[in-house]
Amino acid sequence: MKKITLYLFFVCVYGITYARENVRLSIQTNLQQVVYTCSMHPEVKSTKPGTCPKCGMALIREKIKANVPVENKQQVKTSSSSDSGSKNNTESRHIKSRTVRYDLYVKDTTVNFSGKPRMAMAINGLIPGPALVFTEGDTAEVYVHNLMDMETSIHWHGVFLPNNMDGVPYLTQMPIKPHSTYVYKFPVIQNGTYWYHSHTMLQEQSGLYGALIFNKKNEPKIPAIPVVLSDWTDMNPKEADRLLHNASDWFAIKKGTTQSYGEAISKGYFKTKVTNEWKRMTAMDVSDVYYEKFLTNGKNVDVQPQFKAGDKVKLRIVDGGASTYFWLTWAGGKITVVANDGNDVEPVEVDRLLIAPSETYDVILTIPADGSYEFLSTAEDRTNSTSLWLGSGAKKPAKPLAKLKYFEGMKMMNGMMKMSGDMEPMGMKMSNQQMDMNNVMYPEVTGYDYGKKGKNENGHEPVKEETEDAEIVTLNYGMLRATEKTTLREGPLKVLKFELTGNMNRYVWTIDNKTVSESDKILIKKGENIRIVLYNNSMMRHPMHLHGHDFRVLNGQGEYAPLKNVLDIMPMETDTIEFAATERGDWFFHCHILYHMMSGMGRIFSYENSAPNPEIINPKFAQRKLFSDDRLFHPMATIGLESSGSDGEFMLSNTRYRFSTEWRLGLKAEHGYESETYFGRYIGKMQMFMPFIGFDYHYNKMNNESEKNLFGQISNQHNRKAAVIGFQYTLPMLFIAEARLDSKGKVRFQLAREDIPLTSRLRFNIMGNTDKEYMAGFRYIVTKYFSFSTHYDSDMGYGGGITLNY
């Protein structure tokens, strides 16, 4: 009997142990079960890779963690959120709101968007990175694994979150070091279309960006597709930034927008061109950088064939471009705008809209009939476009946008610009894009090629068709109306006024003529209401973005003023925004054209009495690193190699300072050599004035060492070694006037103009001074770094050869 009892006891123990082990293994298996789901339709599940049956998007692999009894809930990180419509109310009461985890692997990669392999940066091997989808009420937990050899960061654009999760390196966190992991964790307390991108240097331009979707708890049952628009340059972004700061017109050559004197004469706009340069302006510039490709979800052409006649589809559109505005048009009829920057608006139907860098729009389209309809995104400068085709069958393309009348735009700008470089303010009558400045500044070519003289095939002079289709409805901010009241809670009002300023010639972008590094933090108090009046006193549009907050745009909609986090403000426009100060810490406010931000166009809002940010261990070091972006020096060099010798210049310059050295080396010994080295600082908002100090060395064996200058002083070119002090000033017609005094008591006055655009690639240079030195020459631009050149120099005579440019 004892043996039977012992036998039964061991059988029971074994059975219980076996059962518990099976349960444990089952839980482990469930915890590690791999399934595939749709980023836009999380209810779609599959054990195999494929596409979503609802929207056609590729399914994303994720790990599902099993629900466990309430007593074990602390042992797991993720569980399903409570749902008021759940069939199993007993179970839902025992489940925490869910934490949704994503792992982002940031790595260098090679891409080929233009037919040439180029280095880029990708997230999980993708450009753009994967769409991250959460539901309002979730907790977002994102592990960023930096696999690169350089630091990085991720900013959650438009998201309300703790300050130390905002993702601005050296301001809200230290950068993510190479080969390390950083965890961003924040509650999702809003819904709408947002995006994420690197806030480190120029990495956004290289591919570090992606869509961020916050679904409503009861998201409408309509197919929704994230549409991430972006721009791609084959050039290293650092090189693109350097060219912008060195006033190179290579991008204009690539885009065919140099607006040279030859082009002005052929189109009948010579007077317009002269007036433009008389007011010290260069050619009209609609956008900064030449891009080889524009992309929709990482492709020049994206196709979503699953839709049929009568279907409605929501596009969650993100302008992830570093500097490109996109015109959005649709071959299938009207575009219904239902949200902007993550916030719902009363539906408004338009024919087209312009989306600024970093803005988001939710639009609803209806497939009108069988076929494939083009949703066309065209760069504002009309250099190229990218397409999304919805539906299958016969293709129905959208109408291409016309080219721009640059000289007409130049003529308009001449009337708006003062000789000082300031714009003529238009007051509040021009705000919120309600006056369509695109028709004023960038009018479109309609009918015949404008400005060309001559007769058509019937012997009649062509008539310039200037009229625009009056039935075309273009979205502006005045049309946006919130679906709920947005009035701020009561509190003390603080009013701030900012003037957006800049210098296109030197590519300096500022607020109130100060960069981020030159300005103090703007102190605000929790509980205040902050009102900002913005006036754009520059010739470029600026999409101004406020981190961590939504603001009301005072657009005439009263209590239903729309909420946004990006305000695109046009030249001469005055706009007013306001927000409730409800947070703590430091928050960035800046232009979201990447190259403008890197040049210093921003401010930092800082909440008073905020506790120190534990992420920033050494605040002084962090501030120096934060300020280093707009203090960066950019190199430039020009080296002429001609039959008479070599002349050239090397320069280092940043926002305010310039160091330069010029040289002339004769091929023959009697021609000698000379060098002038200056260090100067630019003064004034338009930086037309630069005082300098320097050194002049001049050695010439020719028999003119005793030659007197125009002031009767001996110029002493035989062996001149002298310190100099003086200034340069930009005159009308963009001539540089220079006056200087050297340590020998000699005075010199000089006039010079470089790179006068005769044709799209031919440039003319001229110089003369009171030492009876003069020079004139031509340069024909072949590539970004190479030109053919010829010139005559009073000391070295005539020469011809090549010029290398960097």
Side-chain angles (χ1 to χ4, degrees), residues 82-95:
S82 177
D83 187 344
S84 58
S86 173
K87 294 181 180 179
N88 191 340
N89 292 326
T90 303
E91 180 182 352
S92 65
R93 285 197 299 268
H94 295 287
I95 297 175

Side-chain angles (χ1 to χ4, degrees), residues 576-616:
T576 303
I577 62 176
E578 61 183 20
F579 67 93
T582 58
E583 303 299 323
R584 63 188 64 202
D586 294 335
W587 301 91
F588 207 5
F589 177 60
H590 63 91
C591 177
H592 219 290
I593 293 177
L594 180 59
Y595 302 98
H596 292 188
M597 181 192 75
M598 293 294 291
S599 296
M601 195 173 214
R603 284 291 185 275
I604 297 169
F605 285 100
S606 183
Y607 280 84
E608 294 186 49
N609 303 317
S610 293
N613 186 342
E615 299 280 336
I616 307 297

Side-chain angles (χ1 to χ4, degrees), residues 471-750:
E471 296 182 358
I472 292 180
V473 178
T474 301
L475 183 75
N476 64 64
Y477 287 159
M479 299 177 179
L480 299 179
R481 181 179 174 86
T483 56
E484 298 177 352
K485 291 183 179 180
T486 61
T487 48
L488 305 181
R489 80 280 189 272
E490 291 187 4
L493 179 65
K494 183 170 187 173
V495 180
L496 302 169
K497 294 184 178 180
F498 294 140
E499 181 180 320
L500 307 185
T501 45
N503 181 336
M504 195 68 203
N505 293 348
R506 299 200 62 249
Y507 211 76
V508 174
W509 300 104
T510 53
I511 297 178
D512 295 332
N513 194 32
K514 290 184 178 180
T515 64
V516 172
S517 69
E518 295 170 335
S519 56
D520 296 327
K521 293 180 179 180
I522 299 172
L523 297 179
I524 58 177
K525 295 179 181 178
K526 193 170 185 178
E528 288 182 329
N529 290 328
I530 311 299
R531 179 172 295 168
I532 303 174
V533 180
L534 288 162
Y535 167 56
N536 186 0
N537 190 18
S538 78
M539 290 200 305
M540 297 291 287
R541 307 176 75 121
H542 299 288
M544 302 303 295
H545 169 52
L546 176 61
H547 285 218
H549 302 70
D550 275 341
F551 48 73
R552 302 178 78 237
V553 180
L554 303 189
N555 67 343
Q557 298 290 355
E559 295 179 321
Y560 292 87
L563 293 173
K564 290 175 57 59
N565 60 64
V566 177
L567 178 85
D568 176 42
I569 179 168
M570 294 190 292
M572 298 181 299
E573 193 171 79
T574 300
D575 289 340
T576 303
I577 62 176
E578 61 183 20
F579 67 93
T582 58
E583 303 299 323
R584 63 188 64 202
D586 294 335
W587 301 91
F588 207 5
F589 177 60
H590 63 91
C591 177
H592 219 290
I593 293 177
L594 180 59
Y595 302 98
H596 292 188
M597 181 192 75
M598 293 294 291
S599 296
M601 195 173 214
R603 284 291 185 275
I604 297 169
F605 285 100
S606 183
Y607 280 84
E608 294 186 49
N609 303 317
S610 293
N613 186 342
E615 299 280 336
I616 307 297
I617 299 174
N618 187 339
K620 290 185 177 180
F621 170 77
Q623 179 175 283
R624 287 199 303 271
K625 294 293 289 184
L626 179 69
F627 288 173
S628 65
D629 285 345
D630 65 66
R631 290 175 174 174
L632 182 67
F633 277 86
H634 302 275
M636 184 276 289
T638 301
I639 303 173
L641 302 173
E642 298 185 354
S643 56
S644 59
S646 173
D647 60 343
E649 179 184 19
F650 174 77
M651 181 173 69
L652 281 172
S653 64
N654 71 355
T655 305
R656 304 295 178 192
Y657 295 96
R658 191 186 84 180
F659 170 83
S660 63
T661 182
E662 300 178 11
W663 69 84
R664 283 165 289 280
L665 305 174
L667 191 63
K668 297 179 181 179
E670 61 266 24
H671 289 156
Y673 44 87
E674 56 187 280
S675 174
E676 298 177 10
T677 301
Y678 293 164
F679 177 75
R681 187 186 193 279
Y682 288 95
I683 305 295
K685 181 166 59 178
M686 302 309 297
Q687 301 198 351
M688 298 177 186
F689 181 69
M690 187 192 77
F692 63 81
I693 59 174
F695 188 79
D696 181 9
Y697 180 71
H698 197 126
Y699 178 76
N700 191 331
K701 283 188 175 182
M702 296 183 73
N703 297 322
N704 63 354
E705 65 270 13
S706 61
E707 184 180 52
K708 293 183 178 181
N709 63 22
L710 293 181
F711 300 113
Q713 298 174 307
I714 302 299
S715 60
N716 187 25
Q717 297 186 51
H718 177 65
N719 191 9
R720 181 195 300 160
K721 299 176 182 178
V724 298
I725 184 171
F727 68 85
Q728 292 182 354
Y729 184 74
T730 303
L731 296 173
M733 300 303 296
L734 298 172
F735 274 84
I736 304 298
E738 177 184 298
R740 76 175 204 181
L741 173 68
D742 69 25
S743 56
K744 307 295 184 181
K746 304 299 186 296
V747 176
R748 191 182 81 180
F749 180 75
Q750 178 173 291

Side-chain angles (χ1 to χ4, degrees), residues 770-804:
T770 55
D771 281 349
K772 300 180 182 178
E773 297 172 326
Y774 53 90
M775 180 278 295
F778 296 91
R779 184 169 67 93
Y780 185 83
I781 301 170
V782 180
T783 70
K784 179 167 74 250
Y785 302 122
F786 178 83
S787 305
F788 290 114
S789 59
T790 180
H791 82 287
Y792 180 84
D793 185 283
S794 56
D795 285 342
M796 294 189 291
Y798 171 80
I802 62 173
T803 295
L804 304 178

Side-chain angles (χ1 to χ4, degrees), residues 448 454-462:
Y448 293 103
K455 297 182 179 181
N456 60 20
E457 59 185 7
N458 297 319
H460 301 293
E461 286 194 6

